[in-house]
Amino acid sequence: MGSDSKAEVIKRAKVLMVGAGGIGCEMLKTLALSGFQDIHIIDMDTIEVSNLNRQFLFRQEHVGQSKAKVARDAVLKFVPHINITPYHANVKDPDFNVNFLKQFNVVLNGLDNLDARRHVNRLCLAAEVPLVESGTTGFLGQVTVHVKGRTECYECQPKPMPKTYPVCTITSTPSKVESQNQIWAKDLLFTKLFGDKSQENDLFVCSDDASNSEKPMEDIFKQAPDEDPKQYGKKIYDHVFGYNIEAALVNEETWKNRRQPRPIFLRDALPEKLNLQNTNPEKGCLTDDLPLSVLPFLSLNNPQEVWNLAENSRMFLESLQLFIEKREKDIGNLTFDKDDQLALEFVTAAANIRASCFGIPLHSLFDSKGIAGNIVHAVATTNAIIAGLIVIEAIKVLQEDFENCRMTYCLEHPSRMMLLMPIEPFQPNKSCYVCSETPLLLEVNTRTTTLRDIVEKIIKVKLGMDLPMVMQARTLIYEAGDGLEEDVAANYALNLNKSLANLPAPVTDGTMLTVEDFQQELKCHINIKHRDDFDEEKEPDGMVLSGWTAPEKVHMATSNGESPSADHQITLEPTEPEVVELDAEMLDTKRKLLATLERKENEEEDREVLSILVNDDDDDDDVVLLDDHPEANKKLKLQ
């Protein structure tokens, strides 16, 4: 490792790793082989089959076990004399607070979501522990160093925030973004048929004429005791792909500037002889060794082949029949899992039939798994490169060699014969509300907006606080936490439903709110400005937050895994684009870099990079593009 002093620094260091997935496995191995003696790992996930192609510390027999614990055991087999402490837990648990972080010399992140990253960033700032961030997608990757007072923090640059789309957009007017059909198939139709029956879920189109359907939705989706599974499947098929589309077409205004969809009934998709054929998929799709599947029965053996409408229709009917006949006990408790072969076949067929209705391109089973399962196909080599760079930067930080710390970007194509682009870290952003405590400005109608709106949409979602406390002057108007007395918690609950102007300490134009999260040790101030009217299209929340690093508007996203809310919305969460602004000398390099990243972004946009179950994403399945820095005139040096 070079000089004795460097080796000694490494030997004495106490390192915290957050994430033991694709990057985490490589990072733990590299740390151990580099001489680090005391390593702690936090990861809440268990090992899945889809992890095994790149997370090399795991094997088939480890599926279902803790990533952190299995990674520890695997590394100790070839580096036995070091201390590795695993935590199978969420990094946001109260145990992992500021005092916990203070025992470490550096924190290394290999996380998979914005929420956890922001949380760790704030803990590191409060504990004054350096943080090394990272991420990869395909051949692209980045490593950034964040040291309080010396470099920008993770939140000094804008990060896209969750975007919500009404369910009626998904159900009646899906766009060319392919994932909207996947979302409809797995989160609406699959859930309605096989999931929690009590979950609010509306598969009717949002039009005035939807209520005129001959049968209520509950009757349509409820199978009669003596109803043949094949006839039940035909009924569902005609309802969701035929009658619902016809109902949507009644509203002519909707299709004034859009291509009209085509209702598809089973009689149109399948020849009569196939439609009425008495099929029995059991013979061809059930063995003791293979998962339940319709593919062998339909002779669809190539997962990369795009099925035609007739094949998708047969797949829809046969997979639905197989669920009813062979997995009846599971119905009512199922959620979509990309590794559930039969569920994937059903969702692929349903999404493709719906795509046919709206003139949207169809997808193969292979592509559908990537879209529905939020898989950005990872490259193990990229993970290894990024892990190596993380360790290099960690060693610089431990030696307090901050002048030579670099943000490094891994490119897909060489630029000036370089695949790695090191750049000097930015200085802290003076307008960052996280590390500079700059006051924020919130424009809001104080007479109609409730405290709940502020807490849920601004403080928790946009500011990323978990257990906030809200004060108006010296009056505490809201506090979250499990340790509150019952009567106190009840009072705060009452406050949540009051408008700002009607709170015990009224919040009106010119009021300053103080918001604090003790777990993150983060405190900020919000100046309130009353405003009567908002643009419903551009400002749907009826609130505008200024003075923070507002997100870029992104049209790629995915549902956040929660049930549709009372106002029938699905939350879609974009990835985190980041783009580097280079000096004039490097404009040509910048163009090439942006072209590469833009192409990747367009590919991911159509793939819906995030999943409904955000915590189920692999940490290396994270889109890492580079974003314009707020100070446009800042010069960056390539080293």
Side-chain angles (χ1 to χ4, degrees):
M1 290 299 300
S3 66
D4 292 337
S5 59
K6 182 184 292 186
E8 191 61 29
V9 165
I10 291 172
K11 189 175 181 180
R12 291 197 311 264
K14 190 172 185 178
V15 177
L16 175 63
M17 278 179 48
V18 187
I23 294 176
C25 283
E26 294 285 352
M27 181 161 45
L28 181 59
K29 174 260 298 180
T30 305
L31 287 169
L33 294 177
S34 299
F36 285 85
Q37 302 291 305
D38 193 358
I39 307 167
H40 293 238
I41 318 167
I42 301 174
D43 196 303
M44 67 181 289
D45 288 338
T46 55
I47 299 162
E48 298 179 7
V49 173
S50 59
N51 302 149
L52 302 181
N53 71 331
R54 62 196 176 280
Q55 298 177 20
F56 70 100
L57 296 179
F58 309 142
R59 297 293 182 267
Q60 182 70 41
E61 61 268 22
H62 298 140
V63 171
Q65 298 181 38
S66 163
K67 284 188 176 183
K69 294 178 180 178
V70 172
R72 170 194 179 273
D73 294 342
V75 169
L76 288 180
K77 288 181 180 178
F78 56 86
V79 189
H81 304 300
I82 64 175
N83 176 50
I84 303 178
T85 306
Y87 304 88
H88 180 54
N90 190 332
V91 72
K92 297 180 70 175
D93 289 348
D95 292 340
F96 307 121
N97 53 25
V98 173
N99 288 331
F100 175 81
L101 257 68
K102 284 182 178 180
Q103 65 183 298
F104 299 102
N105 301 108
V106 66
V107 175
L108 313 178
N109 259 1
L111 283 164
D112 64 352
N113 66 87
L114 174 62
D115 186 44
R117 281 181 162 137
R118 294 197 299 190
H119 184 79
V120 173
N121 175 64
R122 295 170 186 188
L123 291 180
C124 287
L125 287 171
E128 299 189 5
V129 176
L131 169 66
V132 183
E133 258 291 353
S134 66
T136 67
T137 179
F139 295 102
L140 302 178
Q142 71 178 27
V143 174
T144 57
V145 180
H146 306 282
V147 181
K148 184 176 181 178
R150 292 180 175 271
T151 70
E152 63 181 9
C153 78
Y154 176 72
E155 296 175 76
C156 278
Q157 295 199 42
K159 303 291 185 296
M161 298 297 297
K163 183 178 179 62
T164 59
Y165 294 99
V167 166
C168 36
T169 298
I170 302 294
T171 56
S172 60
T173 56
S175 72
K176 290 290 185 182
V177 177
E178 62 194 21
S179 59
Q180 289 195 5
N181 288 318
Q182 300 290 340
I183 291 172
W184 177 88
K186 66 173 182 169
D187 300 330
L188 297 183
L189 184 59
F190 185 89
T191 299
K192 188 63 185 176
L193 291 171
F194 310 120
D196 183 0
K197 301 296 183 181
S198 64
Q199 178 175 315
E200 184 178 355
N201 187 329
D202 189 0
L203 279 172
F204 276 105
V205 292
C206 295
S207 72
D208 295 336
D209 300 277
S211 60
N212 296 329
S213 183
E214 294 181 0
K215 292 184 178 181
M217 180 178 63
E218 290 75 16
D219 291 340
I220 288 291
F221 289 95
K222 183 177 181 180
Q223 184 183 9
D226 58 346
E227 189 172 13
D228 178 71
K230 208 71 173 179
Q231 290 302 317
Y232 175 69
K234 180 181 182 300
K235 179 180 70 175
I236 297 299
Y237 188 108
D238 286 345
H239 176 73
V240 296
F241 304 121
Y243 297 123
N244 269 3
I245 303 297
E246 283 186 340
L249 289 171
V250 173
N251 189 348
E252 296 179 1
E253 284 297 317
T254 302
W255 311 107
K256 204 169 185 179
N257 298 310
R258 292 186 178 97
R259 176 180 175 177
Q260 290 190 1
R262 173 174 66 100
I264 297 178
F265 293 90
L266 192 58
R267 63 177 181 268
D268 305 320
L270 282 178
E272 189 67 19
K273 61 180 181 179
L274 289 178
N275 190 351
L276 297 178
Q277 182 178 337
N278 184 19
T279 57
N280 182 10
E282 180 177 347
K283 292 181 180 179
C285 61
L286 292 178
T287 70
D288 294 334
D289 302 326
L290 298 175
L292 207 59
S293 171
V294 183
L295 291 177
F297 169 70
L298 297 181
S299 300
L300 300 174
N301 300 318
N302 182 0
Q304 298 195 26
E305 179 183 357
V306 178
W307 308 327
N308 59 35
L309 178 58
E311 290 168 335
N312 278 297
S313 299
R314 292 196 68 192
M315 176 63 73
F316 179 90
L317 295 175
E318 303 299 351
S319 57
L320 177 57
Q321 180 181 351
L322 210 52
F323 265 113
I324 294 171
E325 294 180 348
K326 297 299 176 183
R327 298 180 64 176
E328 184 179 6
K329 293 181 179 179
D330 297 332
I331 293 177
N333 300 305
L334 288 171
T335 56
F336 176 77
D337 182 349
K338 66 180 183 297
D339 294 320
D340 182 333
Q341 181 65 27
L342 189 61
L344 180 62
E345 291 170 7
F346 175 85
V347 165
T348 300
N352 278 342
I353 299 168
R354 183 171 170 78
S356 298
C357 293
F358 286 88
I360 297 173
L362 280 56
H363 292 90
S364 68
L365 186 72
F366 177 83
D367 289 335
S368 183
K369 183 173 183 177
I371 298 165
N374 182 38
I375 299 173
V376 179
H377 298 291
V379 178
T381 308
T382 310
N383 291 338
I385 291 170
I386 293 301
L389 291 171
I390 293 170
V391 176
I392 289 172
E393 295 305 322
I395 293 172
K396 294 177 187 176
V397 167
L398 292 171
Q399 291 183 295
E400 298 185 356
D401 186 13
F402 300 116
E403 294 299 320
N404 288 315
C405 286
R406 293 292 178 265
M407 298 166 26
T408 304
Y409 300 95
C410 181
L411 311 182
E412 182 173 0
H413 303 288
S415 176
R416 294 193 175 185
M417 301 183 69
M418 293 190 303
L419 282 173
L420 298 179
M421 182 178 289
I423 298 171
E424 290 183 1
F426 293 110
Q427 295 297 311
N429 181 359
K430 294 181 180 178
S431 64
C432 175
Y433 73 94
V434 176
C435 63
S436 70
E437 297 187 6
T438 301
L440 303 169
L441 175 65
L442 179 63
E443 297 179 62
V444 64
N445 188 323
T446 57
R447 291 189 293 270
T448 60
T449 302
T450 65
L451 180 60
R452 184 185 301 279
D453 294 330
I454 303 296
V455 171
E456 298 294 337
K457 297 179 181 179
I458 300 296
I459 297 174
K460 290 188 175 180
V461 173
K462 293 191 175 181
L463 302 186
M465 295 189 181
D466 300 311
L467 299 172
M469 180 184 74
V470 184
M471 295 188 69
Q472 204 282 66
R474 296 183 178 181
T475 303
L476 183 61
I477 57 178
Y478 178 76
E479 184 176 4
D482 297 330
L484 300 176
E485 295 182 5
E486 189 173 336
D487 57 336
V488 174
N491 285 334
Y492 292 149
L494 289 174
N495 284 346
L496 284 175
N497 296 319
K498 294 179 181 178
S499 67
L500 298 179
N502 290 324
L503 288 168
V507 176
T508 57
D509 187 63
T511 300
M512 174 183 280
L513 294 178
T514 300
V515 185
E516 192 165 0
D517 188 319
F518 288 111
Q519 186 180 4
Q520 299 177 349
E521 292 200 12
L522 175 66
K523 180 179 180 179
C524 68
H525 302 284
I526 304 176
N527 291 320
I528 301 297
K529 180 179 179 181
H530 176 81
R531 187 170 138 193
D532 288 321
D533 301 313
F534 293 86
D535 187 315
E536 291 186 4
E537 183 176 345
K538 296 180 180 179
E539 303 160 334
D541 290 336
M543 296 178 283
V544 177
L545 184 65
S546 307
W548 67 307
T549 49
E552 302 268 336
K553 290 204 173 181
V554 184
H555 296 291
M556 57 178 176
T558 179
S559 168
N560 66 356
E562 298 177 0
S563 304
S565 62
D567 56 351
H568 301 285
Q569 291 184 333
I570 287 181
T571 300
L572 306 179
E573 188 169 337
T575 49
E576 309 164 26
E578 299 194 22
V579 176
V580 182
E581 190 70 37
L582 306 176
D583 59 26
E585 180 185 4
M586 293 302 297
L587 284 178
D588 184 60
T589 300
K590 177 190 173 184
R591 290 191 195 99
K592 293 178 182 177
L593 173 62
L594 291 177
T596 299
L597 300 178
E598 199 170 270
R599 183 173 68 254
K600 284 290 181 183
E601 181 177 11
N602 290 336
E603 291 172 4
E604 312 312 343
E605 178 171 350
D606 287 340
R607 285 183 147 265
E608 292 306 18
V609 180
L610 296 180
S611 167
I612 282 207
L613 301 175
V614 172
N615 286 331
D616 284 346
D617 293 346
D618 296 334
D619 47 25
D620 53 309
D621 293 344
D622 179 39
V623 172
V624 186
L625 306 179
L626 314 174
D627 210 348
D628 291 319
H629 194 270
E631 301 177 49
N633 60 353
K634 181 171 286 186
K635 300 278 186 177
L636 302 183
K637 298 179 183 177
L638 282 179
Q639 302 300 315

